[in-house]
Structure formats: structure tokens, C-alpha cells
Amino acid sequence: MSTKTSPSIRVRFAPSPTGYLHIGGARTALFNYLFARKHGGTFILRIEDTDRERSTQPAIQAIFDGLRYLGLEWDEGPGKEGDFGPYFQSERLPRYTRYVDQLIQQGKAYRCFCSRERLDELRQRQSAAKDRIQYDRRCLQLSMDDSDRRAKAGEPFVVRFRVPEGATVVDDLIRGKVHVEHKEIEDLIIQRGDGTCVYNFAVVGDDHEMGITHVIRGEDHLSNTPKQVLLFQALGFPVPSYAHIPLILAPGGGKLSKRHGAVAVTDYHEKGYLPEAMINFLVRMGWSFDDKQEIFGLPELIEKFSLEHVSKSGAMFDLKKLEYLGAYYMRQRSVGDFVQLAIPYLRKAGFVREADLERERGRIEMMLELAKSRVACVSQIVDEVRFFFEDPAILDEGALKVIRKHKEALPLVEQYAAKVAAAVPEEAWRPGQPAVLEAQARELIATQGAQLGDLAQPLRAVLTGRSATPGLFEVMSILGRAACLRRLAKAKNFFGSA
RNA sequence: GGCCCCAUCGUCUAGUCAGGCCUAGGACAUCGGGUUUUCAUCCCGGUAACAGGGGUUCAAAUCCCCUUGGGGUCACCA
């Protein structure tokens, strides 16, 4: 499989289960997965559920479902206990208080007794004065004795990390050296009033204890990184490598949100986008291989992926590109596959009932074969085959145009109906065998000196209510004799109303 | 607003690190043509970009600086 093997590489995808699995999160997971597989490393899933207010069980499930849908199996994580569990951050939190105590002992952290009110006030003042919005280190002045006494007396406090003097350089694998002055960083809270640790501290503990070697995450975490690096150093832990990948932007630029349509991977799953299409789509937002190849399957990506080819600028979400990829991969699938995928959608649409499935199977497979190359995701099949199940009540816009253009074609259509009715009995009418029907049409137009289109187009409009369908005679053969003649009998209504 | 990141066709990008091979390549979208009973597919072709300004250099899309623009981040959220 992979040429280089570095069993020591360990990466994690660490989503917080608030809401849904965002498409950007899925791409982060993908990049982590590819990096791990490429280097023979370990891909870990860690659920960062420490925000008790917002973390939900459905959101956790959505993460599992989303990753499985995309085929990104984790090596360690919930349901796959390894030697570095637990894999829910909430269960790991208690173990980090000792690190906090250690830091306090060493003078690298201190208790802060400031009230939220004072902090709010301070922020307001700084904001009004256009100063840096930062804690003023008032409690750093407290003596250890004072601090201990007040804590013992039960006075509420948080613990802050004492940011040292100097500057930190993060050597990001994608961005290069990112230089930050420590005076830009405030003494961040690492332990809350209730004794639990805050995210920035917990990730450091988690990443260290889980042996994470490479942190691959969204660029929105870039400004957190110097703080975390400082924490690693204060704790005496080795600092992992970082790679901050660009964000996925909304079509107009800016943050991609529900306002722009589906952003949750489960949405795409439900719509029936093929996982291979999603993978290809996601990976190409921010990563490329060369100036030739656009189509990549997961195994090939594992071989070809590299962080060096991840771009630095944000990528706008382009639904058209997804649709293209969706349609492309749909065409690659076998008819058998497609039938399996499509039937649930047909049943949901009420087109087939369980009881009729076996009897109808042949016809259904034929119509799905015709429709397969015309959809970008499985759910689109419903509108694509609707006319097979429902007689058209009205004509769509295109069909209306066709009828108007062929106003004088009604007699031709009716002659064809009569001719077919006479010449093609039920036994000769075989689904999937359009030749008889086409022969009848060609015979007729030959006697009238017309083009095939002069008959076929209005015929299609009347039979399906549409101007665009798969091959007309194939459609007719599948539709069946009774349905065709029934629909054709209504031809003059459509011509009359057009 | 402070700090950080980014900047090639409408979009995703190749080329930038190791300056010349770039009259800037590909894909999506778009426009035109071919095939076809329509549509889709498929094939052929077109339009379309180095944000602006200064440097450095024999030579800059590529290196440096400034400007502009976009994004991120500044919580007892993660």
C-alpha cells in the first residue's frame, strides 16, 4: 500500500458535537485520514464534547454517520477502543487538574479571583480606549499565601496561564513560520470556576497523552496555536507538528452556513450523493495533485496525498462542481448498484410498493438504466422517472413549446397512436425493445414526408409532459401499451390547451 | 479596531519554495459546433486570470516592500 511507513504518526479528528458535521469538518477529517493512511499512521477520532450546554447525542451520531458514509474509518475512537482512550474529551477532563496544580506550583499559572463583572468592565474600558482587549494581570500580584488562603476560604476562582515574555514561532507545515509576540496573548484561563479545564488546555493534555504527532485542523485554529504551543512547553511536553488547512468559503465568499444550502454531510448523504463523489469534491477544495488530474478515488488519494500540495487560500464551495462529480461517479456505477440505491427513493416517493417490487423489477431496472446517466445524486431519480408512474396532467414549459412549434402535428400523433394500436398487440410490446415502435414511427413519417422529430417531439410531450426524456421509443416500451394509448388518447387536450 | 493568515481565468487549481522551459496549463461553469427523435452523455473549438504600485535582477506570476482586497481570531465555547 503505502511506500513510506512511519508507524509512529498519529493524527486526530476532533470535532465538537454541536449541531451537525459540517462539510468543512468532513474535509478536515479526510485530510487527517489521508495523511495517516499515506504514512501508515493512526487516524484517531476524539469527540470534544466538553461544552455540556451545546453537545448533543444526535450530533455525536451525525459525526459517526458522516464519517462512515464517506468511508473514513477511524483506527481509534468511540467504538474502537485503543490504548489511548477514552475518546470522549468529557471523560478525559478530570485527569488534567493535576497539570493545572503542577503549573501553579511552578509559578507558571495562577489563581484569578476577579469577578466576571470586573472582567466585563475591564473589557469595555479597553475597548473604549481602543486598547488591546486583555486581562490586566491583577491577580498575578497576589502572593502565594494570599492566593492559598482565599482559595481555602472558598472564594471562587479560575486559573490562568501566565504567558511568559518573548515570542513564539509556529512552524506550520502548510503556512511556514508564523510569528507571534507574547504580548499579544493574554493570560488565558485554563481552569474554570467549577474546576474543569478549558478547551485550550484540554487539547494540549489530550494531544500529548494520546501521542498525537501531527495536528491537522482548520485555519480558524491558527490563532489558538501559539497559546497551545506555550502550554506544551510549560508542561514540558514535546510540541506536535501543525498543519492549518484553509477554510471552505460560501459561494459569495465569507462563512459557509445553512443560508447557503446544505452544509451538513448528512444532507448530502440523504440526497444520495455517492461517497466517492463527495470525497473527490472535498479533497479538491484545497488540494491538488498536478495540472492534469481531477478524478481521484480514495485508494489513489492515499497514495498521492501530501500536505505540501495543500493550498493556503480558502476555497469557495461550488455546487456545480459537486453536481458534475456526482453525475460522473453515478455513470461509473453499475446498473445493479444504482438499482439498489434508487429503490428506497422510489418507494419513498410512492412509485412502487414492496409487494409490487418483484413483479415490477424488470421494468424498474430498465427505467433506472435510462435515467442513471442523468442524475447527480440518487434522490434526483424521483423527478427523473416520475412520468413513468404518473400520467402527465400538464405539460412542462419545454413540452408546451414543442406543442406550439408542432401545432399541426396532432393528426400525425393520432395516426401514430392508431397505427401502433393496430400493429403492435400486447404480446409484441416488450419493455426494453423499442424497435417495433420506432419502425412504426418511421413508416408513418415516410408516407407523410416528415422528419422523425416532427412526430417524436410532440409524441414525447404528450406521453411524458416533458421535452427532455431518455429515448422516446425506449420510454414507450417501458411505459407499456395500455399507458401509452391512454396518454395518447389525451393528445388533443394538450394540443388544444397549448 | 489589535493580531494572524491569504491573494493566478466567474469557481477549484498547476506553475511560486530551487527566477528564464509561461505569448500562464488543466478542470467546473459559460459560449459555439458535431453526434442524436429531445435531453443527458460523448467529441471538437472559443471567451476568460498573474489585485495595484514600487523595488532587486540580464530576466519576476515566481524574490523583497508598500497599498488594496478577502478571511480568521480576540469567551469561565470548542
Side-chain angles (χ1 to χ4, degrees), chain A residues 161-379:
Chain A
F161 176 61
R162 180 182 179 173
V163 176
E165 306 269 290
T168 287
V169 175
V170 178
D171 198 0
D172 191 274
L173 261 23
I174 291 168
R175 266 144 237 287
K177 294 189 192 323
V178 178
H179 189 266
V180 179
E181 295 287 332
H182 290 181
K183 63 170 191 265
E184 300 294 342
I185 307 171
E186 75 167 348
D187 284 354
L188 61 150
I189 292 170
I190 56 177
Q191 189 180 74
R192 300 187 185 90
D194 66 3
T196 59
C197 291
V198 126
Y199 166 76
N200 271 126
F201 195 70
V203 252
V204 169
D206 285 343
D207 285 341
H208 175 254
E209 294 203 345
M210 293 175 117
I212 302 302
T213 56
H214 299 257
V215 174
I216 302 169
R217 51 163 39 163
E219 194 189 346
D220 50 338
H221 284 280
L222 188 55
S223 54
N224 273 328
T225 309
K227 300 175 194 172
Q228 292 169 13
V229 168
L230 250 20
L231 254 12
F232 273 104
Q233 289 168 344
L235 258 9
F237 300 156
V239 182
S241 297
Y242 287 97
H244 288 92
I245 63 184
L247 266 20
I248 294 179
L249 276 16
K255 209 173 161 194
L256 184 61
S257 68
K258 277 148 292 188
R259 204 161 52 78
H260 305 97
V263 287
V265 299
T266 43
D267 292 335
Y268 293 95
H269 189 185
E270 279 164 19
K271 288 184 181 185
Y273 281 94
L274 263 16
E276 57 269 37
M278 284 308 287
I279 291 285
N280 203 143
F281 176 64
L282 290 173
V283 83
R284 285 293 286 107
M285 279 194 283
W287 178 85
S288 60
F289 179 64
D290 59 15
D291 62 342
K292 293 275 174 279
Q293 194 174 356
E294 299 284 340
I295 300 294
F296 301 90
L298 205 46
E300 191 178 11
L301 285 172
I302 289 169
E303 182 192 319
K304 293 187 167 166
F305 183 79
S306 82
L307 252 21
E308 290 81 71
H309 281 94
V310 174
S311 61
K312 296 182 203 163
S313 48
M316 285 192 204
F317 181 90
D318 182 4
L319 187 64
K320 286 275 171 52
K321 188 79 162 258
L322 206 213
E323 296 257 299
Y324 167 77
L325 256 9
Y328 172 83
Y329 281 104
M330 203 63 83
R331 278 180 253 122
Q332 306 304 305
R333 289 283 190 127
S334 68
V335 179
D337 268 11
F338 186 60
V339 169
Q340 289 306 310
L341 291 165
I343 283 178
Y345 289 88
L346 298 184
R347 291 186 52 188
K348 205 170 155 209
F351 292 163
V352 269
R353 286 174 305 171
E354 176 70 47
D356 301 331
L357 202 53
E358 276 323 299
R359 186 164 44 79
E360 293 286 288
R361 194 166 193 95
R363 282 182 67 230
I364 287 172
E365 284 180 359
M366 277 182 256
M367 68 178 75
L368 289 178
E369 179 166 11
L370 295 180
K372 185 168 80 84
S373 65
R374 318 162 76 82
V375 298
C377 58
V378 188
S379 62

Side-chain angles (χ1 to χ4, degrees), chain A residues 13 15-17 21 45 47 58-68:
Chain A
F13 173 52
S16 55
L21 177 55
L45 174 62
I47 305 292
I60 293 174
Q61 194 56 46
I63 291 166
F64 297 162
D65 292 347
L67 293 180
R68 291 205 180 103

Side-chain angles (χ1 to χ4, degrees), chain A residues 23-233:
Chain A
I23 217 163
R27 191 190 51 158
T28 301
L30 173 61
F31 283 15
N32 272 282
Y33 173 89
L34 293 174
F35 185 76
R37 287 288 175 277
K38 163 80 179 259
H39 295 104
T42 306
F43 174 54
I44 298 151
L45 174 62
R46 182 176 74 220
I47 305 292
E48 308 217 320
D49 59 343
T50 40
D51 183 341
R52 279 132 191 191
E53 304 282 297
R54 298 192 302 154
S55 295
T56 65
Q57 193 55 45
I60 293 174
Q61 194 56 46
I63 291 166
F64 297 162
D65 292 347
L67 293 180
R68 291 205 180 103
Y69 154 57
L70 294 173
L72 306 180
E73 280 298 320
W74 52 98
D75 303 309
E76 285 178 30
K80 277 229 172 147
E81 304 307 316
D83 299 333
F84 298 82
Y87 295 93
F88 286 93
Q89 192 171 59
S90 57
E91 294 172 31
R92 312 179 57 87
L93 227 41
R95 62 217 286 168
Y96 301 133
T97 52
R98 64 191 164 94
Y99 290 146
V100 175
D101 294 342
Q102 177 191 322
L103 254 25
I104 293 175
Q105 293 306 315
Q106 297 173 156
K108 291 175 179 172
Y110 60 95
R111 296 191 192 90
C112 171
F113 297 91
C114 293
S115 67
R116 288 180 201 246
E117 290 69 35
R118 185 180 112 75
L119 262 20
D120 286 345
E121 211 176 288
L122 179 65
R123 266 193 284 269
Q124 269 179 22
R125 221 166 44 222
Q126 290 170 332
S127 163
K130 293 202 163 113
D131 279 345
R132 240 192 292 278
I133 299 173
Q134 228 172 56
Y135 180 57
D136 62 1
R137 293 191 143 177
R138 176 197 264 217
C139 292
L140 184 57
Q141 316 307 322
L142 261 36
S143 71
M144 200 56 136
D145 286 349
D146 275 358
S147 176
D148 287 345
R149 188 168 29 75
R150 289 172 71 173
K152 238 170 238 150
E155 200 175 325
F157 65 87
V158 298
V159 177
R160 288 182 184 273
F161 176 61
R162 180 182 179 173
V163 176
E165 306 269 290
T168 287
V169 175
V170 178
D171 198 0
D172 191 274
L173 261 23
I174 291 168
R175 266 144 237 287
K177 294 189 192 323
V178 178
H179 189 266
V180 179
E181 295 287 332
H182 290 181
K183 63 170 191 265
E184 300 294 342
I185 307 171
E186 75 167 348
D187 284 354
L188 61 150
I189 292 170
I190 56 177
Q191 189 180 74
R192 300 187 185 90
D194 66 3
T196 59
C197 291
V198 126
Y199 166 76
N200 271 126
F201 195 70
V203 252
V204 169
D206 285 343
D207 285 341
H208 175 254
E209 294 203 345
M210 293 175 117
I212 302 302
T213 56
H214 299 257
V215 174
I216 302 169
R217 51 163 39 163
E219 194 189 346
D220 50 338
H221 284 280
L222 188 55
S223 54
N224 273 328
T225 309
K227 300 175 194 172
Q228 292 169 13
V229 168
L230 250 20
L231 254 12
F232 273 104
Q233 289 168 344

